[in-house]
Amino acid sequence: MALGIGIWGTLSDWPISVPVAALTIGLYVLVFGAIPNFWMPECIIHPYFERQLPSPGSSASFRGHELAKWIDEVDEWLTEYNGTRLSKYGYAHGLSNEANDWYVPSEGIAVVDTLLTQCHEPWMSEQLRRELLEIRNSLELAATADIRFCLHMRWWGVSGHEIDVREGSYR
């Protein structure tokens, strides 16, 4: 409605309403375009471990945006291929008093290997392959130290409080 008023004002009273129309249109674009895209957190999926991994740990730069974006397609493909799903390894959240279901890393490695070697779907981008390789590397490290894992789906960013109260580790 404000957009309509701004345009109508431009046509009816040109010299006065041009700044008002520009401001109205600018605010409309900002509120309904730029701000939601800028402030909307992105979903991520990444491994979570019972305890901290031995050195070098998991990459601090790993985020899992692409995996979260395509998790439905990944699960659908895996279900058709061998009857499993990657999402079966998550997504309880310990900070919400949900118990994590822990899995041995070899199970996750087998699923990730299947995706990396057998899946050639259009959604299997290079970024998704990099994320799956990062998960695989972390799971291999966890396997050598006998550390179980699960997957967490979350919005990016971890607070200092969360780091203090978590029992497990993302690295």
Side-chain angles (χ1 to χ4, degrees), residues 49 53-54 105 137-149:
F49 302 97
L53 294 176
N137 293 340
S138 296
L139 293 178
E140 283 182 342
L141 194 56
T144 63
D146 197 29
I147 300 173
R148 296 182 303 168
F149 84 102

Side-chain angles (χ1 to χ4, degrees), residues 4-127:
I5 291 170
I7 292 171
W8 177 80
T10 301
L11 298 175
S12 65
D13 192 13
W14 179 258
I16 296 171
S17 60
V18 169
V20 173
L23 180 63
T24 303
I25 292 169
L27 286 173
Y28 181 84
V29 168
L30 187 63
V31 170
F32 296 105
I35 289 178
N37 290 334
F38 180 74
W39 289 106
M40 187 66 93
E42 292 187 37
C43 184
I44 58 175
I45 296 175
H46 51 96
Y48 182 66
F49 302 97
E50 278 185 302
R51 60 184 188 275
Q52 191 166 4
L53 294 176
S55 186
S58 180
S59 170
S61 64
F62 174 70
R63 293 288 180 236
H65 297 288
E66 197 75 5
L67 180 56
K69 178 180 175 182
W70 296 105
I71 190 63
D72 291 336
E73 288 79 359
V74 167
D75 278 351
E76 183 180 327
W77 185 87
L78 281 167
T79 301
E80 290 174 11
Y81 185 80
N82 64 6
T84 191
R85 297 178 348 258
L86 191 60
S87 63
K88 88 172 198 171
Y89 299 105
Y91 302 112
H93 201 287
L95 294 181
S96 300
N97 295 324
E98 298 173 357
N100 288 303
D101 293 326
W102 298 108
Y103 300 91
V104 294
S106 59
E107 290 181 38
I109 291 170
V111 173
V112 170
D113 281 348
T114 299
L115 279 165
L116 289 171
T117 60
Q118 303 300 319
C119 183
H120 305 290
E121 296 294 322
W123 44 261
M124 182 59 91
S125 66
E126 282 305 309
Q127 178 61 32

